[in-house]
Amino acid sequence: MKQRIVLIGGGFVGTYTARLLAKKLPASDIILLSATDQFLFAPLLIELLAGDLSERSCSRELTRWASRRHLQLIQGTATEVDRSHQVIWYQDARSNLKEQLHYDLLVFAQGGTTNFFGTPGAAEHAFSLKTEGDVRRIHDRLQECVTGAQQATTEHEKRALLRFAVVGGGPAGIESICSLQRYAQGIVQQQASELLPLLSFQIIEATPDILPGFPEALRQAVKTQLDQQHIELCCEDPVTSVTASTVITKQRTSLVGLVLWTAGVTPASLP
């Protein structure tokens, strides 16, 4: 009887491990349990956020990939693992029924999720950048802000709707604010160019400087570039709470149209 190896997660770690096991253990029955049938190349989400790529460019179909490598793909979400009996329970994505799957070896490769560090309101009101769906939601919110600014009657209201903040001054935060700016400027230029001077962008970082751990020369070069793009840096100013229209930090309260959270990652919870 074939040894059955089940991997939970269709991201980089899950697919790479499944491919490696298929080569090393060709006699094994290898099953990849993934919530979707698409492999997302996450580094391209930044270009998607900027509007430079289509969603098709960021993902590939897992079904064909698995078939070519003699792997079995099951589209579903693991809900429970009975380790004593070596059984996984999962919600089938197509039938929506709860199914079970026996295994001999089990690999958890579910990746990570956004870490809001328990900040009040952040999980409810801040946006993440982990999936193509996240990018769509950010774009939709940007459009709402631009439409709202066109309809607003005071400059104060317009500026509040057109102020966008990114929490986290690491590489993801720097790239995100630049992409966000590129996309927002393009939308405003097309739909309401008179609002361009009212757009503003800021990075909020809890530590004394952006890009912690990177060389000083690199940090200074990035800060110079951000300054040239008129992106405000708010360092040593941790976020204490987020609402639908404000981001509150240790030093200030800012009215914003959108908050994008890139400040941390935590491992996905295990079933």
Side-chain angles (χ1 to χ4, degrees), residues 21-204:
L21 288 172
K23 291 180 179 179
K24 298 289 185 179
L25 303 170
S28 297
D29 182 18
I30 299 174
I31 300 173
L32 186 64
L33 179 63
S34 174
T36 74
D37 67 346
Q38 297 292 312
F39 169 78
L40 173 66
F41 191 76
L44 290 181
L45 288 175
I46 291 295
E47 280 75 14
L48 186 62
L49 179 62
D52 295 333
L53 292 178
S54 67
E55 287 192 14
R56 278 188 174 184
S57 304
C58 299
S59 58
R60 292 291 183 269
E61 187 179 312
L62 276 175
T63 305
R64 292 182 181 178
W65 176 88
S67 178
R68 289 198 299 269
R69 290 160 178 80
H70 306 292
L71 305 171
Q72 182 182 351
L73 175 70
I74 296 179
Q75 195 175 335
T77 302
T79 58
E80 183 183 347
V81 176
D82 183 344
R83 291 167 173 80
S84 60
H85 294 92
Q86 295 183 292
V87 174
I88 300 171
W89 291 92
Y90 67 94
Q91 196 79 25
D92 189 277
R94 296 177 179 174
S95 67
N96 206 33
L97 297 175
K98 194 171 184 179
E99 306 284 357
Q100 68 174 11
L101 186 63
H102 292 270
Y103 66 87
D104 296 303
L105 292 175
L106 179 62
V107 179
F108 289 101
Q110 296 162 283
T113 59
T114 302
N115 189 351
F116 295 104
F117 300 102
T119 306
E124 295 80 13
H125 301 295
F127 290 80
S128 298
L129 186 58
K130 294 294 182 187
T131 67
E132 295 159 312
D134 289 336
V135 175
R136 287 194 297 272
R137 285 185 284 274
I138 292 169
H139 285 173
D140 289 346
R141 177 56 187 163
L142 279 168
Q143 182 60 68
E144 289 175 2
C145 290
V146 173
T147 301
Q150 289 176 281
Q151 298 170 351
T153 56
T154 68
E155 183 174 317
H156 177 74
E157 293 174 311
K158 295 176 190 289
R159 286 187 181 277
L161 284 164
L162 297 175
R163 183 179 295 114
F164 306 114
V166 169
V167 179
I174 302 299
E175 290 186 323
S176 295
I177 196 68
C178 293
S179 293
L180 200 63
Q181 184 184 59
R182 179 180 174 86
Y183 186 82
Q185 287 177 338
I187 292 295
V188 173
Q189 180 65 53
Q190 291 175 5
Q191 300 179 11
S193 58
E194 71 279 3
L195 296 177
L196 278 172
L198 304 183
L199 279 169
S200 64
F201 304 86
Q202 61 181 195
I203 294 176
I204 303 172

Side-chain angles (χ1 to χ4, degrees), residues 6-28:
V6 177
L7 301 97
I8 302 176
F12 280 107
V13 174
T15 54
Y16 180 82
T17 306
R19 184 178 65 177
L20 188 63
L21 288 172
K23 291 180 179 179
K24 298 289 185 179
L25 303 170
S28 297

